[in-house]
Amino acid sequence: MFGKIPVSGLAILACCAALAQEAGGPTFVVASIKPAAPMEPGRMMVGMRGGPGTQDPGQINVTNMSIRDLMTSAFNVKTYQITGPAFIDSQRFDIVAKIPAGASKDDANVMMQNLLKERFGLKLHHETKEMAMFALVIAKNGPKLKESVEDPSPGPEGAEGPPGLPPPPKIGKDGMPELPPGMRRQGILMMMIPGRLRMIGTKTTISRLVDTLARQYDKPVVDQTGLTKTYDFTLDFAPEGGGMRGMPMPPPGAMGPPPGGGGGGGEAGGGAVMRTPDTPAGGEAAPIGTAIQEQLGLKLEPKKGPVDLLVIDHVEKAPSDN
């Protein structure tokens, strides 16, 4: 049946909620939490790097992430599944956390849950609520997605690039930044200028596309396309919904992972956001629903269904001392 979360999914989420309120379980060896510094002129980076399964398994580095961002990663849920005070989006932090040798990704998620409990006083429960949502289906004339070509030596999905911020991008004739060498990698990359977003998918599954659309609408999107391959595509559309929830508008030439993105689980997207002050050539972009149908041959159909939510009972604006 459409939109129903399996009982096993509810059990996992209930378990996660319990873990956040128990003193037991693995913890970071040491963790430093600081308020995020103001964005540098022409630069923006938001996300999480390192941890088990990456090139730096012994340390997690969090940059400019909100409490909601941290929760989506720690509990492996979507942004719309978290209900809490407004400051869980506006307050942003930098975190450096040391991980014990041999820890798994699941261990690191529990460590982040315990960090939120111990340092932010997080207390929560879960409940099920009927919500508006979308089903992604194939449009009348069929999909317009290009099936990806196999690469004999592909890198890991969302592979981390070199540390630090990339140089300011060059601007193309359409007003969009041109991708620097090596930036187009497996996953989804987002680029932004006033009034227009560009989503670039490279060797991307429909599941990843659905997750990204859910962030744009800030509501559930369920895959009903039946498409099982990986695809390359470009989608230009006008921004709407909660996709930039709690995010300051980036300065000209800014670049960084999309809201809720970054490594370490949750809604990791392995993507980036870039912005320039120029207006795009060719007029205004179409609404996202229209753009999906015209450019991808897919369609979003409105539905309703039950969604399991994490409801915050208590959380502090600032963490306890390091």
Side-chain angles (χ1 to χ4, degrees):
M1 183 178 293
F2 173 80
K4 287 189 178 294
I5 297 177
V7 173
S8 60
L10 295 177
I12 291 171
L13 193 52
C15 177
C16 288
L19 282 171
Q21 300 179 57
E22 293 177 357
T27 59
F28 293 119
V29 175
V30 63
S32 170
I33 308 176
K34 298 179 180 179
M39 292 184 296
E40 299 177 20
R43 293 290 188 273
M44 181 181 73
M45 179 172 281
V46 181
M48 185 182 296
R49 300 174 64 87
T54 73
Q55 297 175 355
D56 188 10
Q59 180 169 295
I60 287 178
N61 292 276
V62 170
T63 303
N64 200 27
M65 288 181 69
S66 67
I67 294 173
R68 186 189 298 271
D69 294 335
L70 295 171
M71 289 182 65
T72 60
S73 177
F75 294 100
N76 197 22
V77 296
K78 312 303 180 188
T79 57
Y80 57 76
Q81 288 180 272
I82 299 172
T83 300
F87 67 77
I88 67 171
D89 296 308
S90 59
Q91 304 293 109
R92 294 186 166 270
F93 303 93
D94 295 339
I95 300 174
V96 178
K98 300 289 185 180
I99 300 174
S104 66
K105 287 185 178 180
D106 288 341
D107 291 334
N109 285 342
V110 176
M111 292 175 197
M112 186 61 73
Q113 293 171 19
N114 283 328
L115 183 74
L116 289 166
K117 170 192 171 290
E118 294 166 3
R119 303 288 291 278
F120 289 89
L122 176 67
K123 295 181 181 179
L124 50 80
H125 69 276
H126 81 93
E127 60 185 47
T128 302
K129 182 179 178 181
E130 192 86 358
M131 290 181 61
M133 56 178 64
F134 290 104
L136 184 67
V137 301
I138 295 176
K140 182 178 180 180
N141 294 325
K144 300 178 182 180
L145 299 163
K146 178 184 177 183
E147 192 170 322
S148 303
V149 177
E150 286 294 328
D151 186 339
S153 57
E157 185 171 0
E160 297 184 32
L165 286 165
K170 295 181 179 179
I171 307 304
K173 293 181 179 179
D174 61 357
M176 280 288 182
E178 294 181 348
L179 295 180
M183 177 59 72
R184 188 171 182 128
R185 58 193 178 183
Q186 186 173 352
I188 286 181
L189 180 117
M190 300 287 288
M191 298 192 296
M192 176 173 58
I193 61 179
R196 178 173 295 193
L197 282 168
R198 175 169 291 172
M199 182 190 303
I200 301 176
T202 305
K203 297 178 184 174
T204 302
T205 62
I206 299 300
S207 174
R208 174 59 59 80
L209 172 60
V210 160
D211 284 347
T212 306
L213 293 175
R215 286 198 295 273
Q216 290 299 316
Y217 281 104
D218 201 29
K219 64 178 63 175
V221 179
V222 178
D223 176 20
Q224 292 188 341
T225 64
L227 300 173
T228 58
K229 305 292 186 179
T230 60
Y231 304 93
D232 299 337
F233 61 85
T234 299
L235 179 69
D236 284 343
F237 60 96
E240 62 180 279
M244 298 301 289
R245 179 202 291 268
M247 288 290 295
M249 180 60 74
M255 182 182 301
E267 296 189 53
V273 174
M274 299 188 289
R275 177 181 180 266
T276 76
D278 305 307
T279 55
E284 295 183 359
I288 186 170
T290 302
I292 290 170
Q293 191 162 348
E294 293 178 348
Q295 299 171 38
L296 304 185
L298 305 176
K299 185 179 180 181
L300 288 167
E301 294 184 342
K303 303 282 185 180
K304 280 192 175 183
V307 177
D308 204 73
L309 304 176
L310 289 179
V311 181
I312 296 175
D313 298 313
H314 177 82
V315 68
E316 298 291 337
K317 280 188 176 183
S320 58
D321 292 339
N322 293 314

